[in-house]
Structures are given as C-alpha cells and as structure tokens.
Amino acid sequence: MRNSFLILACVVTALTTACERTANDQQQSSSDEIQGSISVSGAFALYPLMNVWAEEFRKEHPKVKINISGGGAGKGMADVLAGATDLGMFSREIKPEERDKGVWWVSVAKDAVVPTISDKNPILSQLKKEGITRGELINYFLKEGNETWKNSSNKVSVFTRSDAAGAADTWAKYLGADSQEAIKGVAVYGDPGLAEAVKKDPLAIGYNNVIYAYDLTSGKKYPGLEVLPIDINGNGKIDVEEDFYHDIHSITAAIADGRYPSPPARELYLISKEKPTDPLMVTFLQWILDSGQNFVQENGYILLSDEVLTTQKNSL
C-alpha cells in the first residue's frame, strides 16, 4: 500500500511540473510574438506593392496592424516630417533640404515612368512604328504652344499631375527640367486619375508608373491606354532593341537591364523622420529587404541589384 501512494505522488508531481512548463512556454511564446501597428502613406508608385508586403508580413505576424494610404510622394514626405506616419512611400530622389531635416531612407524596389496615350489616337499605328523622341516630348510637356501630333493638324492635349508626385518629378528630370512645376498641361490628381484622363481624350499624352499602365493579371496594357514607345536613338523608328512595350514582362525586363533609360526609371524608397529604432519597424523593414523581395517581380516591379540590396540591409 505504501508503495502505491509513493507511485501516485510521483505521477502527480510529474504532471504538475509538465503543466507548469507548458504554461511557462506558452507565456514566453506569447510575450515573444510581434505585435503593434505601423502607419504608411505616400507614393502611388509603391502603394500596390506595399499592400502585398503588408498582407504577407501579417500572415507571419497576425498581431501586427499596418495602415496604408496613398496620396503621392509629397504627402509621404510631409506626413513623415510631421510625425503623422511612421513610414513614407517615396518615388524620387531625396532633396538636400530634405536630407538636412534628418530624413532617413532605404531603397526597396525599382520601377519606371512611361509616356501614355489613348488607344484611340488617330495616328496610333504611326506612333507605335516611329515612336517619339525625347526632343518631341520636351516640346509637348515643357513648352507653351500649339504642338500637333506628327504629320497632322491635331493638337496635342497634355496632362500632368496636380499632386506632388515622384512620377511627375522623375518625368521632369528626364525631360531636363528641375521639378514637376515645369511640366505644362491639365493637372490631374493621382496616378489612376491621370491614366483615366488620358484614356478619355484621343489626342492626349500623359505619363504613368508602369504598374498603372499595365494590368498585372493579364500582363497587357489597360484597355483604352497605350504606352508610347520612346525612340531612344532618334532615328525615326522603333528598332528591335527599343521594342519592349508589348506587355509588363517585356518593359520590366528592359528597365532591369538598362535598355529603358534612367530616369525615367528610378528606385523606390521607404522613408522615416529618422533612422528607425523601434523593434517592430526594424523587423518589418528587414523582412521587406529579405523575404519581401520574393514578391517584387510577380507584382510588376524590378528587383534591386544584389549590391544595392546588401547596402540597404547594412543601413538598418
């Protein structure tokens, strides 16, 4: 009988210890789980990819909340400097005066701005065959006048962005201007708005980020919109090496290997008021530069080179 009591006591003690260990392990696991919130605003160029990154990151860390809003690169910078958001999506080079304010940034992907026209343009076939030179784009976008489409009396309708946009600033830089304020034309808010305005006017010309010109699902250009080929060598025709606008895979490949000029190709950034030290922010940024890169190409963007990516990781 005495032995039976001893065995029972040992069993109870063992079970109690195991239960305590399990409870402690669960408590430790719970305390280690990442949680909190991150707010992000800014460039339309990065907005679609940021939503993908947030969704995938939350699959691994479901207790993290990430709030994302667009509004343009200018809004991203203003919100970050005002402390209204943790991160800004940014799509142009950081200006010296912004660096002086302590803005910190990290490159996360690459894309480009492309000239867009309506697929109802009366000389569409000619334009796709001959393309357009940088000089002709300068005349259309930077000079006041009555520019007409090639070999026609049809006046060109120029559209640009009304919001402070990285795409507009990058496009202006490609044309040789200092900033987007130099671009003439009817100003429209946002990348989607500019694409819609161009679609509706057969004589229109505008510019869009690649992800707003091509449908990621089909890989083709959005119905109603055409991407106007750039005659890079200026010989009056689109040569084989300049002919890469058919689908999103062709244009992103040309951006990646440098056949499409830079600018208007450019790196995309995430910015903050100062170098992040919050563990959640650092973890999220590290994830973007590591696992997050697996979602870059399949969502219509271009990967950074290994050298650039290593530099960005070392900056965290």
Side-chain angles (χ1 to χ4, degrees):
M1 179 66 73
R2 186 169 181 275
N3 288 340
S4 297
F5 279 124
L6 286 173
I7 292 171
L8 178 61
C10 289
V11 170
V12 170
T13 301
L15 288 173
T16 302
T17 302
C19 289
E20 288 176 346
R21 284 176 179 171
T22 301
N24 289 338
D25 289 346
Q26 289 176 343
Q27 185 176 6
Q28 183 64 39
S29 176
S30 177
S31 64
D32 289 345
E33 190 169 351
I34 297 174
Q35 52 188 306
S37 63
I38 300 172
S39 56
V40 189
S41 72
F44 285 100
L46 198 52
Y47 181 81
L49 183 55
M50 178 54 71
N51 276 277
V52 173
W53 279 337
E55 182 180 351
E56 295 297 330
F57 184 76
R58 290 194 70 255
K59 288 179 181 177
E60 300 178 22
H61 307 289
K63 290 189 176 181
V64 175
K65 186 176 182 180
I66 303 175
N67 299 309
I68 307 169
S69 61
K75 176 175 171 52
M77 179 62 76
D79 285 350
V80 161
L81 290 176
T85 58
D86 299 311
L87 294 172
M89 298 176 285
F90 211 64
S91 54
R92 64 164 171 78
E93 294 298 319
I94 314 295
K95 296 178 179 178
E97 56 268 32
E98 294 164 341
R99 299 183 188 196
D100 293 342
K101 293 177 182 177
V103 171
W104 178 90
W105 69 94
V106 63
S107 301
V108 291
K110 192 174 180 181
D111 81 338
V113 182
V114 293
T116 47
I117 60 175
S118 165
D119 67 358
K120 302 295 189 298
N121 189 295
I123 59 167
L124 181 62
S125 297
Q126 177 190 342
L127 289 172
K128 293 177 73 173
K129 181 179 179 181
E130 298 178 358
I132 192 164
T133 65
R134 179 171 173 271
E136 290 169 327
L137 289 169
I138 290 172
N139 287 336
Y140 290 171
F141 282 99
L142 300 186
K143 296 182 179 178
E144 296 281 6
N146 297 308
E147 298 297 331
T148 60
W149 286 103
K150 291 182 175 183
N151 303 322
S152 79
S153 58
N154 295 315
K155 293 182 181 178
V156 178
S157 302
V158 179
F159 289 87
T160 186
R161 291 277 291 274
S162 62
D163 50 311
D169 196 80
T170 300
W171 191 241
K173 292 287 192 307
Y174 170 61
L175 301 177
D178 292 333
S179 67
Q180 73 175 89
E181 282 72 28
I183 299 178
K184 312 300 180 184
V186 177
V188 181
Y189 177 77
D191 220 326
L194 183 50
E196 285 301 313
V198 171
K199 286 181 188 176
K200 293 176 181 177
D201 186 342
L203 302 180
I205 187 169
Y207 52 87
N208 287 98
N209 293 304
V210 167
I211 199 65
Y212 292 92
Y214 293 86
D215 182 350
L216 190 59
T217 302
S218 67
K220 300 178 180 177
K221 285 159 274 191
Y222 279 109
L225 202 64
E226 267 292 344
V227 176
L228 182 54
I230 297 178
D231 179 13
I232 298 171
N233 61 17
N235 67 350
K237 63 179 182 179
I238 295 300
D239 299 307
V240 173
E241 61 269 23
E242 297 170 322
D243 190 13
F244 42 69
Y245 299 88
H246 307 293
D247 54 51
I248 195 168
H249 307 295
S250 299
I251 183 69
T252 53
I255 296 167
D257 64 24
R259 281 175 291 152
Y260 191 77
S262 179
R266 47 49 195 297
E267 291 182 2
L268 301 173
Y269 309 97
L270 287 175
I271 61 173
S272 63
K273 192 172 184 178
E274 54 190 18
K275 184 176 179 177
T277 56
D278 178 78
L280 174 57
M281 287 266 287
V282 173
T283 300
F284 184 47
L285 291 169
Q286 288 174 334
W287 181 92
I288 287 174
L289 293 174
D290 191 3
S291 301
Q293 294 299 300
N294 295 328
F295 305 98
V296 170
Q297 288 180 298
E298 66 184 58
N299 286 284
Y301 294 80
I302 295 93
L303 286 168
L304 299 169
S305 67
D306 290 341
E307 181 180 4
V308 172
L309 202 54
T310 299
T311 301
Q312 306 314 302
K313 290 178 180 177
N314 291 337
S315 72
L316 289 175

